[in-house]
Amino acid sequence: MTLPDRDAILAFIRQSSTSVGKREIARAFHLKGAERQALKQLLGELEEEGVLDSGPGRSFHMGGGLPRVTVLSVVFAQGARIVARPERWEHEGTAPDVVVAQANRRGHLAERLKPGDRILARISGEPPRYLGVVIKRLPRGHAHMLGVVRKDDDGALHLQPVDKRSRRRWPIHHSAEVSPGMLVRAELKGSGQRSVAHVTALLGDPFATGLSLSDIAIASKGIPAEFPSGVEDEAQRAENRPLGPRADWTAIPFVTIDPADARDFDDAVYAEPDGSGWRLLVAIADVSWYVRPGTALDRSAFDRGNSVYFPDQVVPMLPEALSAGACSLKSGAGKAVLVAELRLSEQGELKAWSFHRARVRIAENLAYEQAQAIIDGQEESPLGANVLEPLWGCWRALMTARNRRDPLDLELPEKRVVLDERGRISAIVERQRLDAHRVIEEMMIAANVAAAKALEVKKAPVMYRNHASPEREKLISLKDYLGTLGVSFALGQVITTSTFNHVLNRTRERTDFPEISEAVLRAQMQASYGPRNEGHFGLSLGSYAHFTSPIRRYADVLVHRSLVAAYGLGEGGLSDDAGSRFAAIGEHISFTERRAMEAERETLDRYVARYLADRVGQIVRARISGVQAFGFFATVETIGGDGLVPVSALGEERFRYDEAGRYLEGVESGRRFAPGQWLDLKLEEADPVSGGLRFSLPGVDPVESGSRFRRAGRRFGPGGRGGPPPGVRRGRRG
């Protein structure tokens, strides 16, 4: 038998589910003698070219990828969702995420894994989409953490973790290069109380160098902030790609309506009457035209999963040449878009849809506030003929359909950090909610529904946006809590969004309504991506996908590609076998979304702490936002940011924790601390590095926590029972 060609060998290595070396290839192709020598030379050439990489035992795998069997370190574990990364990664760019299967062939459950665990795993898939199956668990390695170096009064250096849930500081192994104030990466070595932090990387002083508070979150969450070599060059080449064959819709006056500080423009809209109903056009940046499957640009976008937005910067999913250039729908220039053309009834029901690749010229980029002022007659339209009135008319029809569905009606306040020209905090304000916001939201929802239904009709792959109905355990906890507030919540019924809305509507005028809203929110499941349709409970929709933000979400890019392929719209469509990888991809982008949310939330906390740092020692007005056995959390009025009031700061009196009612009650005085209460508190600490705040009660001398444990351990448990308090957690979101 003659030596197989390069493509045959690469296909064999790619498709193998086990480690492949020269011996396995020779056996598969029945090679002997001189043929084996020729194979060795060919494999060496492929390795030199970077097409193949060698792994343990001289096994081979595709270049830039992972061996079929390798050691992984778990970085995320929540329920059945486990994400790990290779312990060794010597290639350019960030190490890829590996979604760990829930059970291996012996039935060992992966959900028992925790962050920091090490596993030997069998890898399937191709870069950068990997699935790992646990072969065995390995001895746990050293814990890694990010922290700031602090000097104690005695001159000793300690590491303060950036995670505000960690209340302990770790002694630092002597290092001449380390100085107080530096942000460092370290390994904890040793066991238990004797662990010592060994510094492995110096990241600089976050307040004296170019680092920002968002850089702390980027580093601690492992968010890819630099594009791999060649990706930005590829984006610049793609930026200049001709728009290709597409419909000319430049005469239609599309407008974008976005936040005043928007950094990219994904979507534009146009509406006009259509008989008794409406014709709605939702034009979305045609990212699939510029970002083609299998390219370095595509792999980088997948790796990031989504853009991450901070007060001072954005970590984009796509390089600036595309995210702020070719794909951003700025007014005045011809832009490539994928348009959802929707036909709506007078009652806002979706009657028909079609999808088109088109070339448009945006008439105007409007801010929400500007659009609202125009529609309210407070400002003149810059559009010659006002195109906003039909948009508002179409929205009213969509609202009729929305009210019939009765989706979950939770509108929780959102904070926005306002920075001055030097990057300092000038204010922390609450974002306004205008009808202009709701107009765009409802139109995007309609387009997302149409995209999911259109792909279902074609039996094409769909990356659904799923939101499951609440679990019974969460509903029971909510019922118990509402019961302590005198609010009824019956479980002997089919739970729908209307069930929750009824509670919200009955309590909207109560002073504790914010806490009731938070409790309802905590009862909900977390949304995720996947190829199996589970419906969207919160929106009361049977089919839902994300189609409207492909500049900042990889899920939307996949939906675009599937539509392009299913409806024969030209180049850049989904490959025939791509749908088989949607499950693993969905796990990955669900993980990157949660990672981004945590990073954004923690950065906001850090900005709040920096803003309040000058007020340490002062009395602030705050509202109790959550209560645990070890104390309660409070949020500063108008500013936000959760801070802890530990039980030790409540004085000598014993306090009993009522788990159902979520309150602390003084055993002798009966004084109660419960969510929703307003208090005057003394700000004891505001740490911008961790985002942590700590309060005390004015005029009350705190009690040493150790003596409190020794004297009255029972006071910390539910109903006055139990041991010392658990580790500190955030009060608002559990």
Side-chain angles (χ1 to χ4, degrees):
M1 182 175 180
T2 59
L3 185 70
D5 61 20
R6 294 161 59 108
D7 290 342
I9 291 175
L10 293 176
F12 176 73
I13 294 173
R14 188 182 294 113
Q15 296 167 9
S16 176
S17 60
T18 59
S19 296
V20 173
K22 186 185 76 172
R23 179 183 304 174
E24 287 74 22
I25 298 172
R27 285 177 179 172
F29 291 98
H30 308 290
L31 304 181
K32 297 181 180 179
E35 294 169 343
R36 290 198 172 204
Q37 288 299 317
L39 173 64
K40 181 179 179 180
Q41 182 177 347
L42 177 57
L43 290 173
E45 292 172 357
L46 290 171
E47 192 172 0
E48 286 181 7
E49 295 170 12
V51 179
L52 290 179
D53 280 334
S54 59
R58 290 298 297 170
S59 62
F60 291 98
H61 56 276
M62 300 306 294
L66 290 176
R68 290 306 182 198
V69 176
T70 193
V71 176
L72 303 176
S73 177
V74 176
V75 296
F76 179 86
Q78 185 175 26
R81 288 191 172 87
I82 311 295
V83 178
R85 289 182 186 149
E87 196 166 79
R88 293 182 56 193
W89 181 251
E90 300 173 352
H91 307 292
E92 292 184 353
T94 307
D97 291 330
V98 180
V99 176
V100 180
Q102 294 186 37
N104 63 15
R105 288 179 298 180
R106 297 190 181 105
H108 296 157
L109 296 180
E111 59 237 42
R112 296 173 186 160
L113 296 172
K114 302 181 296 297
D117 283 347
R118 301 169 66 239
I119 57 174
L120 184 67
R122 181 168 285 105
I123 307 298
S124 60
E126 298 180 16
R129 305 175 180 93
Y130 292 108
L131 179 69
V133 176
V134 179
I135 297 174
K136 65 178 180 179
R137 189 180 303 197
L138 302 174
R140 192 177 176 94
H142 301 305
H144 296 258
M145 69 169 56
L146 196 71
V148 172
V149 178
R150 301 295 191 198
K151 180 183 283 188
D152 289 348
D153 294 338
D154 59 3
L157 296 181
H158 285 74
L159 184 71
Q160 176 193 345
V162 299
D163 185 350
K164 70 177 182 181
R165 294 170 296 183
S166 178
R167 309 299 293 181
R168 184 177 171 190
R169 294 185 177 187
W170 305 89
I172 293 178
H173 183 264
H174 177 70
S175 173
E177 298 176 329
V178 174
S179 59
M182 294 186 88
L183 182 68
V184 301
R185 197 178 299 279
E187 285 185 0
L188 283 184
K189 295 184 178 181
S191 60
Q193 299 296 320
R194 297 181 179 178
S195 295
V196 175
H198 288 245
V199 175
T200 59
L202 306 176
L203 304 180
D205 187 330
F207 303 111
T209 63
L211 290 174
S212 70
L213 295 178
S214 56
D215 289 323
I216 296 175
I218 291 168
S220 65
K221 299 297 180 185
I223 295 172
E226 301 293 332
F227 287 102
S229 176
V231 169
E232 290 181 288
D233 291 339
E234 186 178 310
Q236 290 173 355
R237 291 192 297 271
E239 180 185 19
N240 298 317
R241 179 175 291 152
L243 300 189
R246 57 186 65 235
D248 184 356
W249 285 4
T250 54
I252 299 175
F254 284 96
V255 296
T256 68
I257 306 178
D258 291 279
D261 57 353
R263 290 153 173 156
D264 48 53
F265 304 98
D266 288 288
D267 54 88
V269 290
Y270 170 80
E272 63 183 12
D274 181 36
S276 61
W278 295 91
R279 176 186 182 228
L280 171 63
L281 303 180
V282 180
I284 306 299
D286 193 357
V287 173
S288 64
W289 180 255
Y290 297 98
V291 181
R292 300 298 174 89
T295 61
L297 191 54
D298 178 46
R299 290 194 294 272
S300 173
F302 166 83
D303 186 29
R304 293 179 177 224
N306 44 256
S307 298
V308 190
Y309 295 90
F310 299 107
D312 61 327
Q313 65 172 312
V314 59
V315 180
M317 185 179 78
L318 301 175
E320 187 174 351
L322 296 180
S323 62
C327 295
S328 189
L329 303 184
K330 297 176 182 176
S331 62
K335 293 291 183 178
V337 294
L338 185 59
V339 183
E341 182 175 11
L342 313 181
R343 304 283 177 169
L344 305 171
S345 72
E346 186 178 9
Q347 303 300 312
E349 300 292 344
L350 183 62
K351 298 192 301 181
W353 58 79
S354 57
F355 289 85
H356 315 268
R357 266 185 160 157
R359 181 175 181 269
V360 300
R361 182 175 286 109
I362 305 303
E364 195 71 34
N365 298 125
L366 298 175
Y368 286 118
E369 294 79 6
Q370 185 182 8
Q372 191 68 54
I374 292 171
I375 207 72
D376 292 342
Q378 299 171 357
E379 185 176 324
E380 286 198 16
S381 171
L383 300 172
N386 192 347
V387 301
L388 295 186
E389 285 290 352
L391 289 173
W392 257 250
C394 181
W395 165 64
R396 293 185 189 98
L398 287 169
M399 285 299 292
T400 301
R402 176 188 175 88
N403 292 337
R404 191 177 299 114
R405 295 197 325 268
D406 197 23
L408 192 60
D409 188 19
L410 272 175
E411 289 195 2
L412 298 170
E414 182 183 356
K415 298 295 182 183
R416 180 171 67 91
V417 175
V418 180
L419 304 178
D420 62 20
E421 65 280 357
R422 297 177 61 185
R424 297 175 305 188
I425 304 166
S426 60
I428 297 176
V429 299
E430 192 172 302
R431 289 188 185 272
Q432 278 187 296
R433 284 286 296 172
L434 306 170
D435 283 347
H437 292 88
R438 299 178 178 92
V439 169
I440 297 303
E441 286 172 4
E442 290 306 313
M443 291 179 176
M444 296 306 108
I445 289 172
N448 288 336
V449 170
K453 290 182 177 294
L455 291 174
E456 289 171 349
V457 168
K458 290 287 188 177
K459 300 189 183 306
V462 187
M463 183 60 76
Y464 288 102
R465 177 64 167 176
N466 291 317
H467 183 224
S469 57
E471 295 176 341
R472 184 165 180 80
E473 291 78 7
K474 288 192 172 188
L475 295 174
I476 292 173
S477 177
L478 177 63
K479 174 183 170 63
D480 291 343
Y481 172 63
L482 293 177
T484 65
L485 303 178
V487 179
S488 61
F489 182 69
L491 291 182
Q493 57 182 322
V494 176
I495 299 296
T496 66
T497 51
S498 298
T499 308
F500 295 108
N501 288 339
H502 183 57
V503 171
L504 295 170
N505 291 334
R506 282 188 291 133
T507 59
R508 202 168 295 276
E509 302 304 320
R510 291 175 52 141
T511 57
D512 56 1
F513 178 71
E515 286 65 47
I516 293 173
S517 296
E518 286 282 357
V520 170
L521 177 64
R522 283 195 296 268
Q524 308 306 310
M525 303 297 288
Q526 196 165 39
S528 62
Y529 294 104
R532 187 167 64 90
N533 186 13
E534 299 174 7
H536 199 294
F537 176 81
L539 293 174
S540 297
L541 292 168
S543 298
Y544 195 65
H546 273 164
F547 161 77
T548 55
S549 294
I551 291 178
R552 62 183 180 89
R553 289 189 307 228
Y554 194 75
D556 304 55
V557 178
L558 296 175
V559 170
H560 277 229
R561 288 175 179 167
S562 194
L563 286 165
V564 167
Y567 284 84
L569 299 178
E571 301 175 20
L574 209 62
S575 61
D576 292 338
D577 64 341
S580 63
R581 299 192 294 272
F582 268 27
I585 296 172
E587 292 280 358
H588 170 73
I589 58 180
S590 296
F591 160 71
T592 61
E593 178 189 49
R594 290 190 295 273
R595 177 178 67 184
M597 292 171 61
E598 291 174 2
E600 291 168 356
R601 184 179 66 240
E602 290 175 10
T603 298
L604 180 59
D605 287 344
R606 291 187 175 102
Y607 269 104
V608 169
R610 175 184 275 184
Y611 188 67
L612 291 171
D614 293 337
R615 298 174 63 179
V616 169
Q618 298 180 13
I619 304 299
V620 296
R621 189 68 173 163
R623 185 187 186 102
I624 297 179
S625 56
V627 181
Q628 297 288 343
F630 49 82
F632 61 83
F633 293 88
T635 303
V636 180
E637 184 178 19
T638 73
I639 294 174
D642 280 334
L644 175 66
V645 181
V647 175
S648 61
L650 302 181
E652 288 286 348
E653 185 179 8
R654 299 180 180 185
F655 279 82
R656 180 183 68 88
Y657 175 56
D658 187 290
E659 189 169 23
R662 303 177 192 175
Y663 60 80
L664 286 166
E665 187 175 64
V667 174
E668 291 84 17
S669 68
R671 185 178 185 186
R672 184 176 293 186
F673 296 100
Q677 281 181 246
W678 285 99
L679 298 169
D680 288 326
L681 298 175
K682 182 181 178 183
L683 181 60
E684 297 283 357
E685 179 184 320
D687 186 356
V689 172
S690 68
L693 305 176
R694 186 168 56 83
F695 302 108
S696 66
L697 290 180
V700 176
D701 292 329
V703 177
E704 289 294 331
S705 59
S707 63
R708 178 178 289 276
F709 291 162
R710 288 190 296 271
R711 257 188 6 260
R714 68 181 182 276
R715 80 181 60 167
F716 294 101
R721 296 182 299 278
V728 175
R729 299 195 305 268
R730 295 192 57 175
R732 292 181 72 96
R733 302 293 171 95

